[in-house]
Amino acid sequence: MLTRRAFIRRVLQTISGALGAASVAAVVFRRRAAANTKTARWAFLVDTYKCVGCGFCVKACKLENDVPYEANATRTWVERYILTKKGELLIDTPKGARDGFISPNVQLGKNTYREVKPDEIAKAFFVPKLCNQCENPPCVQVCPVGATYQTEDGVVLVDRKWCIGCGYCIMACPYGVRFFHPVYRVADKCNFCYHRISQGMKPACVEACPFGARLIGDLSNPSDPVTQYIMTQRVGVLKEDYGTKPQVYYVGLSKEVR
Amino acid sequence: MEVHGEVWTLKELFVYPNEYIYWSVQIVMYPFMTGLVAGAFVLSSLYHVFGIKQLREMARFSLVLSFALLLAAPLPLLFHLLQPTRAFNVFLTPHFTSAIAAFGIVFSGYMAIVASEIWFVYRKHFVTQALLLRQKRDRSLAESLLHLLYSVLTLGAYDISEEALRKDEQAIRWLAGVGIPVACFLHGYAGFIFGSVKANALWMTPLMPVIFIMSAVVSGIALCMLSYIVVMEARRRRVSDAFAPYQMTREQIRGVELQEVTITARYLVFFMIFAISLELLDLVFREYTALKSWDILRRVIYGRDFLNIFILQYLVGNLVPFALLLLPRLTIRRAVVSLLLVLFGVFMMRWNVVIGGQAFSLSFSGFMHYHLPIVPHDLDTFKEGALGAAVILVVPYMLFWLFGKILPVFEPEETH
Ligand code: SF4
Ligand code: SF4
């Protein structure tokens, strides 16, 4: 016969035993996991000299990341900057440049365009944009439920099952890269194709760019060519004064870039 | 396929492709409502804590109104969320680096204070009603329910001796005292939600919480005065309709009403001066320091939003009522007009902050126009349109009316 006291003791023993085993297992597995993957620090390198504004990256991103093709929102986009000889600055990104820049006219409003003749132009260039995976991300700071979070390897992700759709992160991002996904109705943005890079593949846009204007690298690996470039060459980042410490580096930035 | 916000946003010049007016009319309603809550509470505390006797009638009234508004205050947020069914996640995994995360805690804490203050104020009423109904034989169903309700509301505390009531008074004063900073916090914190967004050039200023608190007090006092006038007028009408001998004649009611309104108006003007000075300070400072963002802000403030800011908010919503209230021999009619204008002015201030803050692109090179959806054609345009906003305005009054059924909010009373 089991007395009550003996019963309780046995129950407690079983529970503590299980807890002990679980914590040992947790420590062991955590160690092993840490040993296997030395944490990367993902960074991006954009060479604006090489970009021709074809928009292949935008198209590839939409298809890869399940952002409705027709929706006026996109995880990455390309901007066109034209400085005229008169000093007028014209910027546009029709449909995020999903279809490339097929017209020389600059879009000023929904259906308004400004005609630009080739001999008017003083300088012109393209600037691809994407989430900067900020080291100090305001979007993560302001999310009230922790649905937007930063992984150990520095990528900022959104938990689609937990986001309440308040839009605070969209307001907080100085780069305007976030939007509400039209189907899932939660915050969405570029995540460097996390599902691909964590499997040793390259992001869809990097694969799609025919001119090598987009590169991904691991800053924790000193022999990574992207890391070496960032370390040894002159690169810039966007809107540094917000203190976000962006991790998308640009070659050939110009003061006109917004 | 439309992205959220696309229907009511019109873009001009260079705007990033994902930028839309994401925070629309409900985010205007939210600070407007919490502002009314805080203001109404501060007004009632002026009597309870500082013993400003002339505000007695208004104090009881404001307290209950504040509670009704408080219960409705989370509604605009719920209407705004794209995943309202997950709203509870904020309590499950509050992420405290976010200014919104503490909302649930601040809000419930404040609710507890206001609810207990109301309980102490009306405890005597609960007890007498419960005892009265208990003695009654063959109660109707409604009366039985009322009996149950009042008995529950007493929370088992049936002692209404002099001594006990004196203790109640003490508790009320104490709660009202604690409530003032908490009310200011609740609202200042709504200001912080905006003021701390460093990406937004218009919002980011440490003055934001203080500006919000001042305008909150202004709007709260104005709403209480207005509601008070409406209720008193209704009472006056009732007196003339019925022949039963009431305690007060029509003239007497008018007299009390005018006196209360005149006195409260002084406090209103006082707080208005504070609010306007702070807002102007902010504007002057921006203009003087002329940071990088000033170029686009100037075009929004003095150009696109000129009508909204200088005509509707400052002139119609501040200057005109200010003058009307300060002119000698205030009449009820003049008071009503100025109070409506004050409320409108505070609403426009919220509008100009929330919508105005999104009137320009983060690129500083383009603009966004907001078109408030009037006729809804789907859930989004209802919730975040004129109708949704109207719902938010009506709900607190329905609650207030309901409270009036069980609490003697409108009757003149000897105590408190
Ligand atoms: S770029 Fe914007 S969305 Fe991306 S991490 Fe930085 S703040 Fe967050
Ligand atoms: S929209 Fe979602 S991810 Fe963004 S702050 Fe709100 S809950 Fe967090």
Side-chain angles (χ1 to χ4, degrees), chain B residues 69-246:
Chain B
L69 287 163
L70 185 62
L71 288 177
L75 269 187
L77 286 184
L78 275 184
F79 271 42
H80 163 74
L81 292 189
L82 255 60
Q83 300 287 348
T85 54
R86 297 182 190 167
F88 204 66
N89 289 6
V90 178
F91 292 94
L92 296 180
T93 54
H95 185 239
F96 284 115
T97 57
S98 165
I100 297 184
F103 175 79
I105 295 160
V106 178
F107 181 80
S108 345
Y110 184 59
M111 178 111 79
I113 291 177
V114 181
S116 19
E117 191 179 334
I118 291 187
W119 184 76
F120 279 117
V121 170
Y122 291 104
R123 197 176 68 84
K124 187 174 162 211
H125 178 72
F126 298 149
V127 173
T128 44
Q129 291 299 313
L131 292 179
L132 218 67
L133 285 163
R134 182 183 297 172
Q135 277 155 12
K136 203 164 175 191
R137 285 166 187 276
D138 39 76
R139 289 178 293 236
S140 67
L141 180 65
E143 280 170 333
S144 300
L145 284 177
L146 263 183
H147 175 231
L148 186 68
L149 179 68
Y150 281 121
S151 311
V152 170
L153 283 176
T154 62
L155 300 179
Y158 281 95
D159 182 1
I160 47 170
S161 63
E162 286 273 305
E163 169 69 11
L165 288 181
R166 212 175 42 74
K167 285 217 177 104
D168 282 3
E169 288 274 347
Q170 258 170 7
I172 292 167
R173 198 165 316 133
W174 199 79
L175 282 169
V178 175
I180 295 179
V182 179
C184 289
F185 187 77
L186 174 76
H187 197 67
Y189 152 86
F192 188 83
I193 291 180
F194 295 96
S196 63
V197 176
K198 62 181 169 190
N200 192 302
L202 185 76
W203 293 348
M204 206 195 68
T205 157
L207 282 184
M208 199 58 106
V210 200
I211 292 180
F212 264 52
I213 291 173
M214 285 306 154
S215 54
V217 176
V218 169
S219 66
I221 295 181
L223 184 73
C224 286
M225 290 171 72
L226 200 63
S227 317
Y228 177 76
I229 292 175
V230 171
V231 170
M232 290 300 262
E233 287 300 308
R235 225 164 93 191
R236 234 155 55 85
R237 206 139 295 161
R238 248 188 311 164
V239 172
S240 64
D241 288 342
F243 280 94
Y246 268 76

Side-chain angles (χ1 to χ4, degrees), chain A:
Chain A
M1 258 297 277
L2 206 60
T3 64
R4 187 191 297 176
R5 180 168 302 182
F7 173 72
I8 291 175
R9 188 181 301 145
R10 195 169 297 171
V11 169
L12 286 179
Q13 276 167 352
T14 317
I15 291 176
S16 60
L19 279 180
S23 45
V24 168
V27 170
V28 169
F29 281 121
R30 169 109 46 88
R31 284 253 172 81
R32 200 176 291 162
N36 273 354
T37 53
K38 57 151 196 48
T39 27
R41 196 347 169 167
W42 297 109
F44 213 90
L45 183 63
V46 179
D47 189 341
T48 58
Y49 288 115
K50 290 185 179 153
C51 177
V52 302
C54 65
F56 284 6
C57 51
V58 181
K59 222 176 259 172
C61 173
K62 284 209 150 187
L63 297 175
E64 173 73 26
N65 290 301
D66 194 17
V67 177
Y69 200 66
E70 283 311 317
N72 283 318
T74 175
R75 288 178 167 204
T76 184
W77 68 95
V78 182
E79 294 164 1
R80 167 170 62 182
Y81 289 80
I82 298 176
L83 194 75
T84 66
K85 287 179 184 149
K86 286 196 185 118
E88 194 185 0
L89 178 62
L90 301 165
I91 318 167
D92 74 341
T93 172
K95 271 203 166 287
R98 185 195 71 188
D99 306 320
F101 291 86
I102 30 192
S103 156
N105 299 337
V106 172
Q107 186 173 20
L108 297 182
K110 200 165 181 208
N111 293 311
T112 34
Y113 294 86
R114 154 88 152 76
E115 204 189 317
V116 182
K117 299 210 178 63
D119 57 358
E120 264 188 278
I121 301 173
K123 69 173 163 186
F125 52 90
F126 299 102
V127 180
K129 293 270 183 89
L130 63 162
C131 170
N132 290 284
Q133 316 300 350
C134 306
E135 198 180 309
N136 179 23
C139 55
V140 172
Q141 183 185 34
V142 301
C143 177
V145 295
T148 280
Y149 60 100
Q150 196 175 29
T151 62
E152 262 180 39
D153 42 5
V155 178
V156 173
L157 301 177
V158 183
D159 184 344
R160 277 190 181 157
K161 293 207 188 65
W162 205 250
C163 167
I164 58 176
C166 64
Y168 204 7
C169 55
I170 305 182
M171 288 293 137
C173 170
Y175 306 94
V177 305
R178 289 181 164 249
F179 55 95
F180 278 129
H181 194 287
V183 178
Y184 304 111
R185 293 176 65 79
V186 291
D188 203 88
K189 69 163 191 78
C190 155
N191 55 18
F192 282 2
C193 280
Y194 199 63
H195 57 294
R196 293 172 64 97
I197 54 175
S198 49
Q199 300 300 317
M201 290 187 278
K202 294 211 160 79
C205 59
V206 174
E207 296 274 23
C209 179
F211 303 95
R214 290 171 173 251
L215 297 171
I216 184 129
D218 173 6
L219 290 183
S220 72
N221 176 5
S223 53
D224 186 316
V226 169
T227 309
Q228 282 185 343
Y229 192 95
I230 293 172
M231 298 298 285
T232 58
Q233 303 298 311
R234 296 173 208 178
V235 289
V237 290
L238 296 171
K239 305 193 185 188
E240 211 183 350
D241 35 349
Y242 287 100
T244 51
K245 304 201 176 117
Q247 297 302 317
V248 173
Y249 297 85
Y250 283 87
V251 182
L253 267 191
S254 184
K255 70 179 175 55
E256 289 84 11
V257 176
R258 299 299 147 110

